[in-house]
Amino acid sequence: MKAILSMTLLLFLAASGCQWHRQPFDNQGIAGHIHAIDHVPVVVADLDEVTRFFSETLHFSLKTGKEHAGIKNSFIKFQDGSYLEFITPLDSTQEIGKYYTQALSKRQGGTYLAISVPSADSVRQYLDQQHIAYAADSNRIWKTLEPKDAELFYIQYSDTNRRDKPAYTSHTNGSLSMHSAWVISNDIPSDIQRYSTFGATFIRTDTLLNMPAHLFTVGKSELILLDAQAGKDIPEMLRAPGMQGVCGFTIHVSSLDSLNQLLPVSAQRVVEKNRTVYFLSDYSLFLVFTE
């Protein structure tokens, strides 16, 4: 799902009679008008291979999507409504297919953040006040706003209580939610400013996974910005020197002990006291499992 489809807001919702919840907007930015990181699209070359690996090796339940807009996708959905979306481009003549074809030409892996908001109209007012260009789109399920060059978009759902079937949100490995997205940056000052502009709230600096890190809240979620200029561990483990962008996710599980019994013992798995890290080098990603 890419909000870049059009610079013109479709009027489908008004025509269908769907009611969007509106909230008052203040002048303190948009941090208070954000729910959480909703999902992250991950572009891959072979969707069937990814589905088998995450299902058979990492013990997730996956939901298969439908071919549309020049792509094919599948999902890992969690009980709180957050999810990971794996996408393979099929037709680069279509706009969304073209976007993911271009992304895949650079690397497999995470592309951008989708941030859920209670009111897209409030976000639009903020973007207008800040003179930030954006693309807008809508249908009967969601309404989106994508600021130009932000590498994220905002999404408001018509069904605020949306949950998928338990068969798709119950995972053998005990995964419950996607709590954090990790982003690796070669220009920390610029990225701190960019994410702050678009609603992330700085918490503190730290050292995580042996790299300098800047921690932000994004609603009830967390964004962790890693400084690539001051640490080499993650790029080396991912075999991706010079990499920038989304590089990992924190997944909450019901039991680390149970998870560790399921995951294969390999150099890709690092078991620590309060977390287990699994590196997916082919996909330029790692998963941090915590209780």
Side-chain angles (χ1 to χ4, degrees):
M1 179 163 36
K2 181 68 176 160
I4 200 170
L5 282 171
S6 171
M7 288 298 293
T8 302
L9 178 62
L10 302 180
L11 298 178
F12 182 88
L13 290 173
S16 66
C18 182
Q19 298 297 313
W20 292 98
H21 179 62
R22 295 171 181 264
Q23 286 195 347
F25 180 75
D26 56 43
N27 293 320
Q28 303 303 313
I30 57 173
H33 297 263
I34 286 174
H35 275 149
I37 297 173
D38 182 75
H39 70 278
V40 179
V42 178
V43 64
V44 298
D46 188 330
L47 194 64
D48 292 336
E49 179 182 302
V50 168
T51 300
R52 282 193 300 271
F53 177 79
F54 275 85
S55 175
E56 298 174 8
T57 302
L58 299 185
H59 301 280
F60 285 101
S61 301
L62 280 87
K63 179 179 181 179
T64 301
K66 298 179 179 180
E67 293 186 15
H68 66 285
I71 65 168
K72 184 178 180 181
N73 56 4
S74 63
F75 308 88
I76 295 177
K77 301 226 171 178
F78 300 105
Q79 294 176 9
D80 66 345
S82 61
Y83 63 96
L84 298 178
E85 179 183 11
F86 299 100
I87 295 174
T88 292
L90 301 175
D91 182 0
S92 61
T93 65
Q94 299 189 53
E95 194 163 7
I96 295 179
K98 179 180 180 181
Y99 172 84
Y100 285 107
T101 298
Q102 292 173 342
L104 188 59
S105 70
K106 300 174 184 177
R107 63 174 174 87
Q108 298 189 95
T111 54
Y112 51 88
L113 307 180
I115 300 173
S116 63
V117 296
S119 172
D121 289 340
S122 292
V123 175
R124 188 211 310 273
Q125 184 180 348
Y126 170 78
L127 297 175
D128 287 340
Q129 287 180 355
Q130 301 299 315
H131 305 290
I132 296 171
Y134 57 87
D137 195 16
S138 63
N139 60 27
R140 65 183 181 84
I141 299 173
W142 43 255
K143 190 175 187 179
T144 62
L145 295 168
E146 182 182 3
K148 184 178 179 180
D149 299 326
E151 297 182 9
L152 58 84
F153 73 86
Y154 304 97
I155 183 165
Q156 177 193 348
Y157 290 95
S158 57
D159 180 5
T160 57
N161 295 315
R162 62 189 182 85
R163 291 291 186 274
D164 219 311
K165 296 178 180 179
Y168 298 124
T169 61
S170 297
H171 304 280
T172 305
N173 63 19
S175 292
L176 303 173
S177 66
M178 179 185 69
H179 178 67
S180 309
W182 300 63
V183 173
I184 193 162
S185 169
N186 285 318
D187 188 348
I188 286 291
S190 293
D191 281 337
I192 287 176
Q193 179 61 50
R194 176 163 58 90
Y195 284 112
S196 297
T197 297
F198 293 114
T201 301
F202 177 74
I203 307 173
R204 69 181 189 276
T205 58
D206 206 336
T207 299
L208 298 174
L209 303 183
N210 297 318
M211 291 185 68
H214 302 265
L215 279 66
F216 298 79
T217 56
V218 182
K220 65 180 182 180
S221 304
E222 192 174 64
L223 173 67
I224 303 170
L225 199 59
L226 297 176
D227 188 351
Q229 298 295 329
K232 298 180 179 180
D233 282 21
I234 298 301
E236 288 179 354
M237 285 296 292
L238 296 180
R239 300 195 297 270
M243 174 183 170
Q244 296 189 71
V246 177
C247 62
F249 308 102
T250 300
I251 308 295
H252 279 180
V253 298
S254 55
S255 169
L256 276 176
D257 288 340
S258 298
L259 173 80
N260 291 333
Q261 291 176 23
L262 288 173
L263 296 185
V265 177
S266 71
Q268 297 289 89
R269 189 186 80 165
V270 179
V271 177
E272 300 179 348
K273 182 179 179 180
N274 297 316
R275 66 188 176 198
T276 295
V277 185
Y278 201 95
F279 289 92
L280 307 166
S281 301
D282 291 341
Y283 305 114
S284 303
L285 289 175
F286 57 83
L287 303 177
V288 180
F289 294 99
T290 64
E291 288 186 10

